[in-house]
Every structure is written in structure tokens, then in C-alpha cells.
Amino acid sequence: MDDPLETRSALDRLTERVDDIEAGQARHEGGLHGVRTDVSRLSGDVTDVRHEVAGLKSEVTDTRQTLDTFIEQYGRDREVAKAQAELNRLTTEWHADFAQRKHTRALARGLVHTLTAQAVHRNVVNTATVRACTEERLLLEPTYWLAPATMAVAVRFRAEEDRGESARAHATALDAAKANLFFSLTCSRLGNETEAAAWMDLYLQSLDPDELGQEFFVVLDAIASKELGDEALGYTRQAMSRWNQERLTFSTGARRVAGKSGGTQLESRLLNLRSRIAENQYMALRETCGDDWEALRDGWELATVPEGTLNFLRRTFPDGPDGVDSPVSYSGHVESALERLINQQEPDEADMRERMRRLERVIEHGGDLEAANRAHESSLGPDAGPVTFMALLDRAVFEPGEAQLSQPARRMAFRAIWPSMEGVAKRFTESSRLRLPRHITLVVADWSCAVPTDPKAMAKTNTLVDELATQIEQRTQVQSDAVVRRWPRVCAALGVGCLTGSLIVPFIDGVARWFFATLTVCMFAWAIWEILSVPHRKKRVRQHGNQLRYNSVTTLSMALDECEEFFEEWREAMEQMPSLTLWGGNHKMD
């Protein structure tokens, strides 16, 4: 009885423990459900935080962009304010220092007018009034050359030579070049060509040929058009000849020191006029002369410089070299030159005006310094600065659109540049003559021959084709005779075939037997081919030799024809130099 009771008791205790476990599991499930709820709520909170962080980041980015834009705009506004303040200061300073020059220029413009002279001579204008006005200008602008120059013109109306001489001396002391030019143009406008020529001579003597102002282009137009008379034209020719001779002397010395003759602008201009050999020209000659072709081509192209230069000059001056001496109608170049000279700003005036223009660009572009600098640089014309004498001549002859000179002035420039142009063309011709070889070596199919470049001696070169054909025939015959039965190969093939056929094939089975059997057949076939293929190989050698002979003879024939044409054109091109000299002979400076 005890055993059943104990068993029941154990079952009861086990049941109680199971119930306790179930109760605990229920409690844990309730706790886990709460945890799941908390985790879900926390996940939602994290998502909300992420959205808030993203929004905050977007706001920070927008704020940063706004701040950067504000800082950039603030910097531009500050630059605009600084530029405006500086511009106001410079404007005030401009009016204080240079406002009087406007009145001086207006007075000078009126005094040099022919109607003013007529009004004075007719007593319409009192000479005392003219004197008072000019003396006032001199008192207000004692350092400005135009003030005493204007006074020197005014005293002519009163015939006061002593005062006029003093005024002219004062003006030339301040700026000799501008004062002399002013007096020359004024005398020409008033009809005194002799005095205008004398002042023009002084003006030309005071110039630096390496720094010619832009007004010289207009002056050259006036002189070449004979608006200042023949005497002024002669003085200008002499001055330009002297400048060119000084440059030639300096250039010759520099070349002797440097040991070279290239690199000048004029040499580049003439090189651009030479003829060029096209890529499809003289193909056989290129192929046969090898590395010598580059030197031959350069020499040939150098020889064409005189002809190219002559053709260019004939196109540029179609009515011949004597057109410059033909009568030219009045064109108003003196008035243009005088107006430009009067309105030309002085260095201190131009410097301040340049600074003011830069500040105006900064204000126009809202403080953007880079855009302002680009706009300012683009507003500056290519003709803003001085030019050298050779640059003026170069532009006048080779770039007439840039120089904007009349045809008489361009002819006058050509007269000045012609000695240099002729010298450069002669140097190129001499260099080409030195590069012309007496013989050249042509190589065809490993056979070479020396070919004379003289067309008279080149007539005997037809025998070279026969020599090349004979050489290739002899070489082909030697190669054909060298084709014989190669008995070592025959013996080796038969030996290997007998060895494999008698010692290996009978004693093996399967794939190896088939392999060695095939090898045996191939060895015997090779031996038979070596014995019977000699006539076929000889025929193939002869065919290859015949084709090589045909191609080589054709190439050599074409090369000889091209060689004769090439060197004949080379010599004819060099012979154009006397024609160029003859065409430009009348253009040498007086």
C-alpha cells in the first residue's frame, strides 16, 4: 500500500511543480509582451529622432549656405564701397589736378584752326585776347607741354618772335617729341610746308625707334600722303633708313655673337611664305633616300622663300613698286594726327585714368574682382602701348588690317623694310644652296647607288635601272642555285622512320601504336618531299626574285624621275632671288 501512496504523492508534487512552471511562464510571457511594447515604442522614438536630426541637418546646411552667401555678398559690398570711395577720391583729385588741361586742349584746338587765323587777320578777334588766354593757360599749367606750345602758336599772330622762341623752347624742354610734332602739324595746317618739314625733322630725331607712339601711324599716313610736303617726306625716309640701318647693324653683331641667324619676326614672316611639299608628293624619293629626306625637304622649301615673297609683294602692291610716288589727294590725315596729339593724355593723367577705369569695372560687376579684371583686360585694345619701328613695318606690310594704314604709308613702310627683307631672303637662299648636295644615295632592295643632283649629269642615270635589274637577277640566280636536296634531312627522316617502324610499332598496342605508326609515315613522306621538291622550291625562288626585280625597278624609275623633278624645282626656286631683287630694287631707301 505504501508504494502506491508514495507514487501518488510524487505525482502530486510533480503536478504542483508543473503548475508553478506554467504560472511562471505566463508571468514571463506577460513581461516579454511588455518588453516588446517598450521596444516598439523605443523604435518609433528613434525614428522620430532620426527625422528630427535630418531636419536639423538640412536647416544647418541652409543656414551655412545663407551665411556663406551673406559673407560673400558682404565681401563684394565691401569691395564696392572701397572702390566707390577710392573712385570719389580719385575723381576729386582728377578735377583738381587735370581739369585745366581740358580747357588747354580746347584752346589749342581752336588756335590751330584755319578759321581762327583768318579771324585774327581780319581783326574779328583781338590779338591781345588771344595772348591773355594763352598766358593764362601757361600760368595754370606750367608743366604741361601743350600750354607753352599753344602760346608759341598765339604769338605768331602778334609777330613776337622772341616770345615765340621762348615759348617753343619751354614746350620742347617739357616734351620734345610731342612739341616738335605739334609745331610741324600746326605749320602744315597753316600752309607753311618748309617750316613744317623742319619741325618734322626735329620730331623724327627726338623719337626712340623702339618706342613709337600710336600717333605715329597717323603721322606716317599724313607724311606718305604728302600732306606735309615733299621735304617732310624726304626727312622721314632718311630717318626710317637710319633706324633700319642701326637695327641691321645691331642684328648683324648679335648674330655674330650668337652664331646663328634665325629667330627674328621678319624671318618668321618670310618662312611662312615658302612653299610646302605635300604628304603625297615624291613618295618614291622619300622611300629610297631614307633619313636624308628631312634635310632635302628643308633645303627645297627654303629655296622657295624668294618666289613666295615675290608673289606676296605682287599681291600686296598690285600696281607695282612705283605707285607710292603717284599724286595723292588730300585726306585729312594732318587733322587726325593733330586731334589725336592734342587729346593724348600725359603719363600721370593716363595712370590715374587707368586706376579710375579699374574701379569703375569693380563697381559695375558688384565687387567681383575676377570678373572686373577680365572685363578691364578685354576693354584694353591691342594698340594701347607703344610699338617698335620693326613691329610697325611688319604690321604695315604683312598685317594691313591691324595697322590701319593707307596704301601710300604701307608703300613707305615697305621702302624701309625692303633692305631687311632682301637680306633675309638672300640668307635663306644661301642656306638652301649650302644644303643642296652634289649627290644623293638611293637605296632599293639592299642595293644603293649615288645619283647626281645636276640635271645635266642626271640624264645618264637610266643605266642605274639596268644595273639594279641585273643585280637582282644575279642574286636570284645565286639563291636558286643554292636550292639543292638536303641529304642530311633525308637521312635523318629515313632513320627516324625506320627506327619507329621496326623497333617500336610492332611491340606496342593501342593509341601509342597508332601515334608511332603515323610518325613513321610522316618521316618517310618528309624524306620523299625533300627529294622531289627541289624544282618547286627553285621555281618559287625565281618567282619571288622576278617580283622583287619588277617592284624595285619600278620604284627606282619613279625615284629617278622624282629626283630629277625635285632638284630641278630646287634650282629654279633659287634662281628667283634675282627677280625678287629686281622687283624691289626701286624700293631702296634714299
Side-chain angles (χ1 to χ4, degrees), residues 12 35-36 134 151 176 202 252 325 340 488 509 536 561:
D12 293 338
V35 171
R36 290 192 185 98
T134 55
M151 183 176 178
L202 294 176
T252 302
D325 297 327
R340 175 175 289 194
D509 295 323
H536 175 73
D561 293 340

Side-chain angles (χ1 to χ4, degrees), residues 265-441:
Q265 177 69 14
L266 184 56
E267 289 173 346
S268 299
R269 292 288 191 185
L270 295 191
L271 281 177
N272 291 334
L273 297 176
R274 71 186 188 272
S275 300
R276 302 297 182 96
I277 297 178
E279 292 297 330
N280 58 351
Q281 282 185 291
Y282 304 112
M283 298 301 296
L285 183 60
R286 294 178 191 228
E287 179 183 351
T288 54
C289 67
D291 296 336
D292 296 336
W293 169 250
E294 296 296 331
L296 294 175
R297 182 191 62 187
D298 293 343
W300 186 94
E301 292 182 351
L302 280 181
T304 63
V305 168
E307 182 178 5
T309 304
L310 181 58
N311 293 335
F312 170 78
L313 293 177
R314 286 173 174 170
R315 292 193 304 269
T316 306
F317 306 104
D319 51 349
D322 297 328
V324 69
D325 297 327
S326 59
V328 180
S329 61
Y330 180 76
S331 302
H333 296 301
V334 169
E335 279 73 9
S336 299
L338 193 56
E339 186 69 20
R340 175 175 289 194
L341 179 63
I342 292 174
N343 293 331
Q344 188 174 8
Q345 296 180 346
E346 295 301 291
D348 55 350
E349 194 177 357
D351 179 67
M352 184 175 292
R353 194 61 187 167
E354 172 76 9
R355 291 158 59 189
M356 294 173 66
R357 281 195 293 265
R358 284 186 177 274
L359 295 173
E360 290 171 355
R361 293 290 183 272
V362 173
I363 296 173
E364 290 174 2
H365 289 81
D368 190 344
L369 298 181
E370 294 183 359
N373 288 332
R374 289 194 299 268
H376 182 72
E377 294 298 332
S378 62
S379 66
L380 296 177
D383 300 333
V387 297
T388 64
F389 174 63
M390 288 308 299
L392 182 147
L393 299 182
D394 177 81
R395 289 165 58 182
V397 175
F398 295 99
E399 295 181 0
E402 295 292 333
Q404 296 182 350
L405 288 172
S406 62
Q407 189 72 355
R410 294 185 61 211
R411 293 182 184 279
M412 193 171 180
F414 171 70
R415 284 178 179 264
I417 203 175
W418 166 248
S420 300
M421 187 181 296
E422 182 184 18
V424 171
K426 286 182 177 179
R427 286 201 302 273
F428 283 144
T429 302
E430 185 61 27
S431 177
S432 175
R433 195 181 307 278
L434 293 176
R435 298 188 185 192
L436 178 62
R438 294 185 178 181
H439 297 82
I440 62 171
T441 301

Side-chain angles (χ1 to χ4, degrees), residues 143-194:
T143 61
Y144 183 32
W145 69 270
L146 189 57
T150 304
M151 183 176 178
V153 174
V155 296
R156 288 177 177 270
F157 301 139
R158 298 174 60 90
E160 298 175 349
E161 291 300 327
D162 293 339
R163 293 173 58 84
E165 187 66 28
S166 300
R168 286 191 291 270
H170 188 185
T172 53
L174 293 176
D175 195 322
K178 292 180 181 178
N180 292 330
L181 178 59
F182 178 79
F183 296 140
S184 177
L185 296 176
T186 302
C187 292
S188 173
R189 194 169 193 178
L190 297 177
N192 192 342
E193 291 187 355
T194 302

Side-chain angles (χ1 to χ4, degrees), residues 249-262:
T249 303
F250 175 77
S251 300
T252 302
R255 283 197 299 269
R256 289 175 180 175
V257 173
K260 59 181 181 181
S261 61

